[in-house]
Amino acid sequence: MTSGGTGHAEESRGGLRTALAGLTTRGRSFLAAGVAAAICAYVLGQSDLLRVGLLLAVLPLVCATVLYRTRYRVSGSRRLSPARVPAGSEARVHLRMDNVSRLPTGLLMLQDRVPYVLGPRPRFVLDRVEAGGNREVSYRVRSDLRGRYPLGPLQLRLTDPFGMCELTRSFSTYDTLTVIPRVESLPPVRLSGEAKGYGDGRHRSLALAGEDDVIPRGYRHGDDLRRVHWRLTARYGELMVRREEQPQRARCTVLLDTRGVAFAGAGPDSAFEWAVSGTASTLVHMLERGFSVRLLTDTGSSVPGEGTDGFAGASQESADAAGLMMDTLAVVDHSDGTGLSRAYDVLRGGNEGLLIAFLGDLDEEQATVLAKMRQRSGGALAFLLDSDAWVREPSDVPGPLDKSEEQLRMLREAGWTAVKVPRAAQFADLWRQADRQRIGAASTGSTSGGGGS
């Protein structure tokens, strides 16, 4: 069997051995019964029994030979809808088989290979496909675990009308289903604080940086004379005009702590998976609000990492940037690192805008690094996950010393808006809580400042 188009079916080799290996239980039984009858007929001298034995033995051999020499020209294709799906949601896989030969096919059994986490292996029985015809089938897959899962290769099982033999032909192509973290819709709160370029004032002109940063171009017919840059015109000896002022998007860096020592437990309900889902929700929310965003991990890796500043949104379409970061979060795992210094090195340039971090367990050294990060950003918001609280059973009584409270105190003293994440908390509620905490801190600061004056 051959194929064209999207998939290519590989020919099995081995001649008669391959054909005999495809005999079904029925075919093997017929062959064994035929051989036994022939031997008995030879011993007993019964010619009629010999004819019956030969018929029983030859029938499965003929079926295997005819099926092996059958040549079908079939093309197969697979389409995912959608190709990127959040964890816990279903995706539909559409399979299409086209008979591109001039002869009709026999009964076809179609099977697709899928990882066990996506569900059982789908199998379909296709009736006779006419010359030039096609058949379409579909099945659903679902995974509670994020990741990238291969689908395929597609397999066709050929069988004869008597069910004596069954041969398998495989296509060589496969597709990949990307299961991204769950994304929760967030309310549009004002978390601007001191963040430069954040909130209502995010659209700033490049011209505010001064005339030295203006990139001129030659005068074109129809340009407004008010845009002529006279000093540069005198310098170059021809009319030069200012570039159209372009709005500069506000920046937001989302930091995901992936240190293995900072999180305990595993599975879709673990603290680390909550942090990954919260990171994904934040990235999508900030992109929808028109920000240039960047995904940063404790290892120092930055996504998308293109351009001079490593942010996405200005040089890329938001949808492409979101897809790239979602693909990264789909496969992110615990790192072997023990600190956040590499992430701090990325932020050392300053003028990073808003910094939103999802953190695991911290010690005093890492709290010091986070305090330095706060100085490099316009505003800082942290969601702190206590791994012990996430692995502790609800009936267990917490210890007398709650280390998460100490960690929150260290972050808040460093200028962070820090929020503790309880087990199985709703991110939208914590997002609002962070806004209320910021407003309360700002009010307290204003009152203290007024009293001092």
Side-chain angles (χ1 to χ4, degrees), residues 159-178:
T159 183
D160 63 280
F162 301 101
M164 298 289 179
C165 185
E166 183 179 276
L167 297 181
T168 301
R169 299 290 186 264
S170 296
F171 291 83
S172 59
T173 59
Y174 66 92
D175 294 281
T176 302
L177 175 68
T178 303

Side-chain angles (χ1 to χ4, degrees), residues 338-402:
T338 58
L340 301 171
S341 57
R342 292 184 180 179
Y344 170 69
D345 292 337
V346 178
L347 299 173
R348 294 181 63 179
N351 192 25
E352 301 294 339
L354 183 67
L355 174 61
I356 303 177
F358 294 85
L359 306 170
D361 294 335
L362 303 174
D363 54 22
E364 187 174 351
E365 180 181 355
Q366 304 314 317
T368 302
V369 176
L370 289 169
K372 296 179 181 179
M373 288 185 184
R374 173 64 183 89
Q375 300 173 1
R376 297 290 180 178
S377 61
L381 170 62
F383 294 94
L384 186 62
L385 294 97
D386 183 4
S387 60
D388 290 341
W390 281 73
V391 297
R392 186 190 308 129
E393 293 297 330
S395 58
D396 295 342
V397 179
L401 297 178
D402 191 350

Side-chain angles (χ1 to χ4, degrees), residues 203-425:
H203 296 295
R204 295 179 296 150
S205 171
L206 290 177
L208 295 179
E211 289 188 351
D212 293 338
D213 293 332
V214 174
I215 301 178
R217 62 171 176 83
Y219 176 83
R220 298 173 184 172
H221 179 71
D223 286 340
D224 191 346
L225 292 178
R226 290 175 295 183
R227 292 175 51 204
V228 174
H229 195 293
W230 296 108
R231 191 175 68 174
L232 293 177
T233 297
R235 180 187 302 176
Y236 291 104
E238 60 176 327
L239 283 178
M240 304 295 293
V241 297
R242 299 175 185 270
R243 185 181 63 173
E244 288 283 358
E245 293 182 351
Q246 300 292 334
Q248 180 178 353
R249 296 189 178 193
R251 293 177 173 181
C252 177
T253 299
V254 182
L255 171 63
L256 174 62
D257 184 5
T258 63
R259 295 173 298 141
V261 296
F263 295 93
D269 297 327
S270 64
F272 181 69
E273 291 301 322
W274 192 99
V276 174
S277 177
T279 301
S281 302
T282 302
L283 291 170
V284 172
H285 178 73
M286 303 309 290
L287 280 172
E288 290 176 348
R289 294 192 62 186
F291 283 75
S292 293
V293 299
R294 172 178 59 184
L295 171 62
L296 181 64
T297 66
D298 59 286
T299 61
S301 60
S302 178
V303 181
E306 296 182 359
T308 57
D309 55 6
F311 287 84
S315 59
Q316 290 180 269
E317 293 293 335
S318 296
D320 296 337
L324 179 60
M325 288 182 283
M326 290 301 106
D327 290 344
T328 302
L329 291 177
V331 296
V332 70
D333 201 355
H334 291 294
S335 67
D336 297 329
T338 58
L340 301 171
S341 57
R342 292 184 180 179
Y344 170 69
D345 292 337
V346 178
L347 299 173
R348 294 181 63 179
N351 192 25
E352 301 294 339
L354 183 67
L355 174 61
I356 303 177
F358 294 85
L359 306 170
D361 294 335
L362 303 174
D363 54 22
E364 187 174 351
E365 180 181 355
Q366 304 314 317
T368 302
V369 176
L370 289 169
K372 296 179 181 179
M373 288 185 184
R374 173 64 183 89
Q375 300 173 1
R376 297 290 180 178
S377 61
L381 170 62
F383 294 94
L384 186 62
L385 294 97
D386 183 4
S387 60
D388 290 341
W390 281 73
V391 297
R392 186 190 308 129
E393 293 297 330
S395 58
D396 295 342
V397 179
L401 297 178
D402 191 350
K403 65 178 181 180
S404 63
E405 296 298 332
E406 178 65 17
Q407 296 169 357
L408 285 173
R409 183 190 62 80
M410 291 187 296
L411 289 177
R412 289 167 181 169
E413 289 180 353
W416 285 76
T417 300
V419 178
K420 179 181 178 180
V421 181
R423 183 175 182 178

Side-chain angles (χ1 to χ4, degrees), residues 6-7 75-79 94-98 154 171 173 175:
T6 306
S75 65
S77 61
R78 183 189 297 101
R79 178 172 57 88
H94 301 269
L95 304 177
R96 178 187 173 99
M97 301 300 301
D98 293 273
L154 200 62
F171 291 83
T173 59
D175 294 281

Side-chain angles (χ1 to χ4, degrees), residues 180-191:
I180 63 175
R182 294 182 178 92
V183 176
E184 187 175 347
S185 179
L186 301 179
V189 300
R190 294 172 60 89
L191 292 171

